[in-house]
Amino acid sequence: MSTLTWQKSSYCPEGNSCVHVAATPQTVHITESGDPTGAILTATPTAFGALLQILKKDTHRG
């Protein structure tokens, strides 16, 4: 795998409980800052977009 450029979530406070994302044209990689090399989830851009839509929808429930 080529070197990935990781970006920290803009919703992340300071500390070790942050989501990091790295994207290529074919894949989106997701990890957490507490153990960035331990578990890296990989998804297609379409699947990642669907996940974001679900998460955004879920946060608007009252």
Side-chain angles (χ1 to χ4, degrees):
M1 182 178 349
S2 64
T3 302
L4 298 171
T5 302
W6 293 94
Q7 178 180 352
K8 183 170 70 170
S9 168
S10 60
Y11 290 96
C12 181
E14 294 300 317
N16 285 336
S17 57
C18 302
V19 173
H20 291 238
V21 176
T24 70
Q26 297 82 21
T27 58
V28 178
H29 307 276
I30 309 158
T31 191
E32 56 101 10
S33 58
D35 187 11
T37 60
I40 298 174
L41 304 175
T42 302
T44 65
T46 301
F48 184 68
L51 172 64
L52 291 179
Q53 289 301 317
I54 290 167
L55 293 173
K56 289 176 183 179
K57 184 177 180 182
D58 193 53
T59 60
H60 293 107
R61 290 185 181 177

